[in-house]
């Protein structure tokens, strides 16, 4: 069997409707399940062996149920994230648009965020037409948070979903209330019990014929328990079986069937069958090759075929008939017979090695840990931890390693560091410091190669920690410690070593971009995009391309920025990655590009997308940049409010580890807003706090203030200091415009016209309009003359002229004044009403209650004689109050 088949088998089985042989057709129970569909939730609750799984699987087939989704809950599905991601994966395969895309986003989400249970419920509400979700083995769930999420789904079920829950014990739900509310239909053991006609068909399928009285007696002795009846069929199949004697001694209840299974069913089996069963019972799933690896024999295919033919010892699972599972009660009894620890460990070792040879580390690690083989598990984790966590298996690894006794965990550096890496990736910081310290303390006890692997994982943890804290200097330092040479990485023998290079390059370029090292950032980010492995992870590449989009914005290349960012968004949308932290720079780039192009309303959805990501994974450098963009957006309606909000947000982030360059960006934006307000005093105050007052951005901001103060000589001196080639299109355009305005202030029109033409030619290819619209009152007359004289960017210049004219002169005369003057506080509220902020946001900005905002709002409406917010803004503009 190809390795790929094995690699997909476990997930296929997890989401596949189980297949069983010798299934008795049970129309009365199918009808019961049909009627139960009148309630949104159907609960099948009975102990092992009552045939819950087989019944629901055969019902789906017999009734040709459309769009059934199946999830067999496993031991790794006991956290809210793993459970609901599994639910989302199962449902996404059967529901149509738009619910499937929403569910895939939940399934692919590897980071912290809104409650996944609520996200699944919201997604299912978009399902068109009915869908059925079967949750099997729900008794495996122990997490109270998972049960709480399920209870919310059950008590407020989405209209398009029917939930069928299979469990060995009742869930911790208020069942009585659910019954009274009509939300719950139940199928219990009494319903599942075989009646004589069904039992007769069951025995006929395995070649056993009983008289009506014998059949009634056996059904009565077992209470119709499917497992008891199937086990009773084993001795009755033998030629010359003493049916009467058997019936006289067979009681058929759970406890006695276990004893019976030991003495009467297992004991008489041929030695080869018993030996085979005792060896494969350590496995949840088994195929022929795996059976041969565990038993050491070569008859796995024949034995599986023989044992599955009666469907008494083995059940076929999944499609293709290659994988089998022992019934739970049979497996439990067989495992209880294994009293020799060494033999048990050897079986687990063989199975783990089989999975390791097929590059299936999840199963290999699980079996090694189940067998108490901590050294083997540690070696496996050391080799595979990077590939597992970077390909989204960190939560499963966390679940496995969290179950290891603490002493064993801390004694093995690879296990301790592996658990730390798994937790770091999905934001679970419990015991991180202890785990990392234990790993570092015991590195010397490892062979050199294994110690180098652990050291690399520790460096990657430091990288992730610095990124999460927004420590860009620490991020850059961590990246420099990680080798990038493919040969050196390959020598470590790490699975997923190629992902290390992509991840490191992507993060190194990210740190350099935010620290202002744009040339180095571009090299590393583009190398990260080119180095993405063919079958590797997507997120590092998304991150690299999103950062490149932001880099293009930094330079003023707005068209290129849009192209890069939209490609990132399209790819993320297709893969359900739109809510990941790697996407935020693409959202910022699109917002920035729209703002700089003068398309202010188009920036709003991208700013909201950035806010949504930041709510789950806040990064100080992102928050500062978003605050600047939001202030520029808000300044269209009210520069004063924009300036106050930016100052407030900057102070709130003052204690963060955001680099000085980004704090300078906020101060420069504040100086720009002060210039818009014709307030050089506040502009000077902002510039006085700069960490790098000699940067081109700082010099141009200073020139703007000098011109505002009527000092063209000082402005010219500062501009002259900007010798050499400009570092970006943005700096070039801004510098040329300031030269033009300086020349205008001196009354020297020809140099002014030449400088303006240079600015137009540089800005036109990128549709960079904001540097012009910021200085509309000083440029409109000069731009008109430039158009009359001709320019190399005529279309762009004419379009700009239209914008500047509309901006400076909306062309409407003021209407009659309002019946009553607005108070200063009402004027502030009016300004906020013209923004995109809601009442709760306005209240937060002004540090007042929402009721206070609403009271002022109604007073403003009354004084302006309007009935709503939009009318108030329109009326205020007519009155030149805005």
């Amino acid at each position: 069997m190809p390795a790929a088949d094995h690699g997909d088998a476990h997930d296929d089985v997890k989401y596949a409707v189980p297949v069983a042989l010798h299934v008795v057709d049970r129309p009365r129970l199918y009808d019961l399940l049909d009627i139960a569909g009148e309630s949104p939730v159907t609960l099948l609750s009975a102990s092992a062996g009552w045939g819950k799984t087989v019944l629901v699987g055969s019902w789906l087939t017999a009734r040709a149920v459309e769009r059934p989704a199946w999830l067999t809950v496993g031991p790794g599905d006991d956290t809210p994230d793993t459970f609901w991601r599994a639910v989302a994966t199962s449902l996404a395969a059967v529901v149509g648009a738009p619910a499937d895309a929403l569910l895939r986003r939940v399934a692919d989400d590897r980071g912290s965020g809104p409650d996944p249970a609520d996200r699944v419920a919201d997604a299912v509400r978009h399902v068109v037409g009915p869908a059925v979700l079967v949750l099997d083995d729900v008794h495996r769930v122990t997490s109270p948070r998972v049960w709480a999420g399920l209870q919310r789904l059950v008590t407020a079920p989405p209209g398009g979903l029917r939930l069928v829950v299979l469990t060995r014990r009742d869930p911790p739900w208020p069942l009585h209330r659910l019954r009274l509310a009509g939300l719950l239909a139940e199928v219990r053991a009494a319903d599942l019990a075989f009646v004589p006609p069904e039992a007769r068909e069951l025995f006929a399928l395995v070649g056993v014929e009983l008289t009506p009285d014998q059949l009634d007696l056996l059904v009565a002795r077992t209470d119709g328990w499917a497992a008891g009846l199937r086990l009773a069929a084993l001795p009755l199949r033998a030629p010359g079986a003493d049916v009467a004697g058997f019936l006289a001694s067979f009681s058929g209840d759970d406890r006695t069937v276990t004893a019976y299974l030991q003495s009467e069913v297992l004991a008489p089996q041929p030695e080869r069958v018993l030996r085979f069963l005792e060896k494969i019972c350590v496995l949840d799933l088994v195929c022929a090759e795996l059976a041969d690896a565990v038993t050491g024999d070569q008859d796995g295919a024949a034995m599986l075929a023989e044992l599955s033919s009666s469907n008494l010892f083995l059940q076929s699972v999944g499609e293709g008939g290659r994988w089998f599972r022992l019934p739970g009660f049979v497996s439990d009894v067989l495992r209880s017979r294994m009293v020799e620890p060494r033999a048990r460990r050897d079986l687990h070792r063989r199975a783990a090695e089989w999975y390791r040879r097929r590059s299936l580390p999840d199963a290999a690690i699980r079996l090694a840990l189940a067998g108490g083989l901590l050294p083997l598990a540690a070696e496996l984790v050391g080799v595979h931890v990077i590939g597992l966590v970077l390909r989204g298996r960190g939560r499963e690894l966390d679940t496995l390693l969290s179950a290891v006794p603490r002493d064993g965990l801390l004694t093995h550096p690879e296990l301790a560091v592996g658990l730390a890496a798994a937790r770091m990736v999905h934001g679970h910081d419990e015991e991180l410091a202890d785990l990392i310290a234990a790993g570092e303390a015991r590195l010397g006890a490892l062979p050199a190669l294994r110690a180098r692997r652990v050291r690399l994982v520790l460096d990657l943890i430091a990288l992730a920690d610095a990124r999460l804290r927004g420590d860009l200097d620490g991020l850059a330092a961590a990246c420099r410690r990680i080798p990038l040479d493919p040969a050196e990485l390959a020598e470590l023998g790490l699975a997923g070593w190629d992902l290390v290079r992509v991840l490191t390059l992507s993060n190194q370029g990210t740190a350099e971009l935010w620290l202002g090292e744009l040339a180095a950032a571009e090299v590393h980010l583009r190398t990260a995009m080119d180095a993405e492995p063919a079958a590797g992870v997507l997120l590092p590449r998304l991150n690299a391309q999103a950062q490149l989009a932001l880099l293009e914005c930094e330079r003023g290349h707005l068209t290129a920025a849009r192209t890069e960012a939209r490609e990132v968004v399209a790819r993320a949308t297709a893969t359900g990655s739109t809510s990941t932290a790697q996407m935020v720079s693409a959202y910022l780039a699109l917002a920035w590009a729209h703002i700089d192009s003068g398309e202010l309303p188009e920036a709003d959805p991208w700013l909201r997308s950035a806010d949504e990501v930041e709510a789950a994974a806040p990064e100080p450098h992102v928050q500062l940049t978003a605050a600047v963009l939001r202030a520029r957006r808000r300044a269209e309606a009210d520069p004063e409010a924009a300036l106050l909000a930016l100052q407030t947000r900057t102070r709130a982030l003052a204690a963060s580890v955001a680099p000085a360059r980004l704090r300078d960006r906020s101060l420069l934006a504040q100086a720009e807003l002060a210039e818009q307000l014709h307030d050089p005093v506040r502009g000077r105050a902002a510039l006085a706090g700069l960490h790098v007052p000699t940067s081109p951005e700082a010099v141009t901001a200073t020139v703007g203030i000098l011109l505002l103060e009527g000092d063209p000589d000082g402005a010219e001196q500062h501009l002259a200091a900007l010798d050499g080639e400009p570092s970006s299109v943005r700096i070039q355009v801004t510098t040329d415009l300031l030269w033009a305005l300086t020349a205008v202030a001196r009354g020297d029109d020809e140099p002014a016209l030449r400088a303006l033409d240079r600015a137009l030619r540089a800005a036109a290819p990128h549709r960079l309009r904001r540097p012009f619209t910021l200085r509309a009152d000083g440029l409109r007359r000069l731009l008109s003359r430039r158009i009359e004289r001709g320019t190399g960017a005529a279309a762009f210049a004419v379009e700009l002229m239209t914008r500047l004219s509309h901006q400076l002169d909306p062309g409407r005369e003021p209407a009659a004044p309002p019946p009553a003057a607005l108070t200063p506080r009402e004027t502030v509220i009016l300004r906020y009403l013209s923004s995109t902020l809601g009442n709760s946001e306005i209240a937060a900005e002004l540090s007042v209650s929402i009721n206070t905002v609403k009271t002022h709002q109604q007073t403003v409406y009354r004084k302006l004689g309007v009935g709503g917010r939009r009318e108030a803004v329109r009326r205020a503009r007519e009155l030149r109050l805005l």
Side-chain angles (χ1 to χ4, degrees):
M1 185 186 302
D5 293 340
H6 296 294
D8 296 334
H10 288 73
D11 281 345
D12 286 348
V13 169
K14 183 184 186 75
Y15 302 111
V17 178
V19 179
L21 304 176
H22 303 307
V23 175
V24 174
D25 196 37
R26 308 182 76 183
R28 68 178 182 88
L29 291 182
Y30 300 161
D31 292 342
L32 183 61
L33 289 174
D34 291 341
I35 295 170
E38 297 175 2
S39 300
V41 182
T42 302
L43 175 67
L44 283 80
S45 181
S47 59
W50 281 98
K52 304 181 290 296
T53 301
V54 171
L55 170 65
V56 174
S58 58
W59 166 70
L60 292 174
T61 302
R63 294 298 201 240
V65 175
E66 293 185 8
R67 301 199 295 179
W70 189 286
L71 170 61
T72 300
V73 178
D77 299 324
D78 202 25
T79 68
D81 294 292
T82 54
F83 179 84
W84 291 106
R85 279 171 46 207
V87 169
T89 299
S90 175
L91 282 169
V94 300
V95 300
D100 56 345
L102 297 173
L103 288 164
R104 288 192 184 95
R105 292 179 190 176
V106 180
D108 293 337
D109 188 2
R110 308 300 186 196
S112 59
D115 192 308
D118 295 336
R119 292 176 63 193
V120 168
D122 291 341
V124 174
R125 289 187 175 91
H126 292 81
V127 172
V128 179
V132 176
L133 171 62
V134 181
L135 298 177
D136 196 6
D137 285 350
V138 177
H139 54 271
R140 289 177 177 262
V141 172
T142 62
S143 166
R145 292 178 60 200
V146 174
W147 280 122
L150 271 172
Q151 183 171 328
R152 291 200 301 275
L153 187 67
V154 168
T155 53
L161 179 68
R162 177 183 177 186
L163 189 63
V164 181
V165 178
L166 284 60
T167 178
R168 294 184 184 180
R169 53 183 174 271
D170 283 354
W173 297 337
L175 298 180
H176 181 65
R177 292 207 306 269
L178 294 175
R179 295 183 192 111
L180 290 177
L183 297 174
L184 182 70
E186 297 170 83
V187 178
R188 299 282 179 173
D191 304 305
L192 296 168
F194 273 69
V195 295
E198 294 168 339
R200 180 178 295 108
E201 185 178 349
L202 172 65
F203 284 112
L205 288 172
V206 294
V208 174
E209 186 174 348
L210 300 176
T211 67
D213 289 341
Q214 291 172 332
L215 188 66
D216 289 344
L217 178 60
L218 188 55
V219 170
R221 287 278 174 86
T222 60
D223 288 328
W225 185 40
L229 291 171
R230 289 181 179 276
L231 289 172
L234 283 173
L236 296 177
R237 296 173 66 190
D242 181 5
V243 177
F246 170 79
L247 292 177
S249 61
F250 183 76
S251 67
D253 61 26
D254 194 344
R255 178 179 55 79
T256 57
V257 164
T258 299
Y260 172 78
L261 181 62
Q262 286 269 27
S263 61
E264 301 297 331
V265 177
L266 293 176
Q269 293 300 318
E271 182 63 24
R272 65 183 185 85
V273 171
L274 193 57
R275 186 175 65 249
F276 182 82
L277 289 172
E278 287 178 341
K279 290 182 177 179
I280 69 168
C281 74
V282 301
L283 304 167
D284 293 327
L285 294 172
V286 62
C287 65
E289 287 107 327
L290 178 54
D292 288 342
V294 170
T295 63
D297 298 323
Q298 300 297 318
D299 59 351
M303 291 296 295
L304 292 174
E306 178 183 340
L307 290 170
S308 66
S309 62
S310 65
N311 202 42
L312 296 173
F313 277 124
L314 288 176
Q315 299 169 347
S316 176
V317 291
E319 297 181 2
R322 296 191 299 269
W323 288 87
F324 301 87
R325 175 186 287 121
L326 280 168
F329 58 91
V330 176
S331 180
D332 290 343
V333 171
L334 287 167
R335 291 175 185 177
S336 70
R337 294 163 60 98
M338 298 176 62
V339 295
E340 175 54 53
R342 181 176 298 179
R344 181 191 294 267
R345 285 197 301 271
D346 184 59
L347 293 173
H348 281 93
R349 181 184 301 279
R350 292 184 182 198
E353 293 289 0
W354 185 87
Y355 278 107
R356 171 154 71 170
R357 289 193 297 272
R358 282 152 183 78
S359 298
L360 298 170
D362 306 62
I365 294 168
R366 186 180 300 110
L367 284 160
L369 292 174
L373 304 167
L374 294 188
L376 174 59
E379 184 180 355
L380 287 165
V381 170
V383 171
H384 292 283
V385 59
I386 290 175
L388 289 173
V389 299
L390 293 186
R391 288 194 169 100
R393 310 295 288 191
R395 297 181 191 275
E396 291 84 343
L397 184 61
D398 187 344
T399 300
L400 287 174
L401 297 182
S402 294
V404 177
R406 183 176 178 81
D407 289 345
L409 183 71
L410 299 182
T411 302
H412 293 82
E414 288 140 318
L415 295 182
V417 174
L419 180 55
R423 289 183 174 177
M424 175 61 74
V425 164
H426 59 83
H428 180 192
D429 60 2
E430 183 182 353
E431 297 183 319
L432 269 180
D434 290 345
L435 294 170
I436 292 170
E440 290 177 333
R442 295 182 178 273
L443 274 183
L446 289 175
L449 182 62
R450 291 172 64 176
R452 288 172 59 199
R453 291 176 191 156
V454 175
R455 173 49 60 194
L456 176 61
V457 177
L458 286 168
D459 286 338
L460 288 170
I461 291 173
L463 180 157
D465 178 57
R467 176 75 184 261
L468 288 173
R469 291 186 293 106
D471 181 3
L472 298 170
D473 289 307
L475 177 61
C479 289
R480 286 192 291 269
R481 292 195 298 270
I482 297 171
L484 295 177
D485 179 38
E488 184 177 354
L489 287 169
E491 285 177 1
L492 296 177
L494 279 165
W497 65 264
D498 50 342
L499 305 182
V500 174
R501 186 164 184 265
V502 182
L503 178 72
T504 305
L505 286 166
S506 180
N507 278 280
Q508 187 168 354
T510 297
E512 291 162 341
L513 169 65
W514 289 96
L515 291 170
E517 302 165 14
L518 302 191
E522 182 171 18
V523 171
H524 288 123
L525 293 171
R526 294 205 182 279
T527 306
M529 291 178 62
D530 295 339
E532 183 186 22
V537 289
L538 171 70
L539 292 181
R541 187 185 189 284
L542 280 180
N543 177 78
Q545 192 169 11
Q547 304 299 333
L548 282 170
L550 201 58
L551 185 149
E552 297 291 6
C553 272
E554 291 264 12
R555 291 172 169 167
H557 300 164
L558 305 187
T559 303
R562 280 196 184 94
T563 300
E564 294 276 17
R566 285 172 177 163
E567 186 175 329
V568 174
V569 172
R571 192 170 183 183
T573 302
T575 56
S577 305
T578 54
S579 298
T580 62
Q582 289 78 7
M583 286 297 300
V584 72
S585 289
Y587 300 145
L588 292 178
L590 285 165
W592 194 347
H594 282 303
I595 290 170
D596 275 3
S597 295
E599 302 157 352
L600 299 182
E602 287 87 342
D604 294 339
W606 303 116
L607 288 172
R608 285 195 295 271
S609 294
D611 287 343
E612 290 169 5
V613 174
E614 282 299 293
E619 295 177 290
H621 52 284
V622 171
Q623 292 174 313
L624 263 177
T625 302
V628 169
L629 293 177
R630 197 172 292 107
R632 288 174 177 167
R633 168 66 178 100
R634 193 174 298 173
E636 176 198 27
D638 191 341
E640 181 69 44
L643 177 56
L644 292 174
L646 180 56
Q647 290 172 332
T648 301
R649 189 65 179 134
T650 303
R651 284 194 294 269
L653 293 168
S656 72
V657 291
R661 171 177 178 267
L662 295 184
R663 294 197 290 273
D664 277 3
R665 174 179 287 169
S666 174
L667 292 170
L668 291 169
Q670 292 173 39
E672 177 187 277
L673 290 166
E675 183 182 348
Q676 286 182 258
L677 291 164
H678 301 280
D679 189 343
V681 174
R682 280 194 285 181
R684 288 278 184 193
L687 295 175
L690 292 175
H691 292 80
V692 185
T694 57
S695 69
E697 294 84 359
V699 171
T700 55
T702 302
V703 170
I705 298 298
L706 288 167
L707 290 174
L708 186 61
E709 294 171 333
D711 185 3
D713 292 337
E716 184 173 344
Q717 290 176 7
H718 279 77
L719 288 172
L722 292 175
D723 53 354
E725 287 295 318
S727 58
S728 69
V729 169
R730 184 183 304 281
I731 293 296
Q732 178 184 347
V733 171
T734 302
T735 302
D736 284 334
L737 288 179
L738 291 172
W739 273 118
L741 291 172
T742 301
V744 168
R746 288 181 170 281
D748 197 348
D749 283 359
E750 288 305 317
L753 289 169
R754 288 195 298 272
L756 177 58
D757 192 46
R758 290 196 301 271
L760 290 168
R761 289 171 182 267
H766 309 286
R767 320 309 292 170
L768 181 59
R769 302 185 180 100
R770 190 164 184 276
F772 298 88
T773 58
L774 276 176
R775 302 165 179 88
D777 50 355
L779 287 175
R780 181 167 63 167
R781 187 184 67 83
L782 187 65
L783 181 60
S784 176
R785 291 186 59 199
R786 182 71 270 177
I787 293 171
E788 292 174 2
R789 296 269 295 270
T791 173
F796 182 65
V798 169
E799 191 266 344
L800 265 179
M801 189 66 200
T802 302
R803 285 175 177 266
L804 299 188
S805 298
H806 179 74
Q807 180 177 333
L808 295 171
D809 182 14
R812 306 190 67 164
E813 292 296 326
L822 301 180
T823 67
R825 175 60 81 176
E826 291 162 358
T827 301
V828 171
I829 292 292
L830 177 61
R831 288 172 178 166
Y832 275 110
L833 292 177
S834 68
S835 73
T836 59
L837 296 182
N839 283 350
S840 60
E841 293 172 300
I842 295 172
E845 291 282 349
L846 297 175
S847 300
V848 299
S849 70
I850 295 179
N851 286 336
T852 299
V853 171
K854 290 180 177 177
T855 299
H856 286 306
Q857 187 177 13
Q858 292 303 317
T859 303
V860 170
Y861 292 171
R862 178 176 53 78
K863 288 183 176 182
L864 294 178
V866 298
R869 181 170 181 166
R870 183 175 297 177
E871 292 176 359
V873 172
R874 178 179 55 77
R875 175 69 170 153
R877 285 180 174 149
E878 291 173 351
L879 297 171
R880 301 291 175 88
L881 297 176
L882 290 175

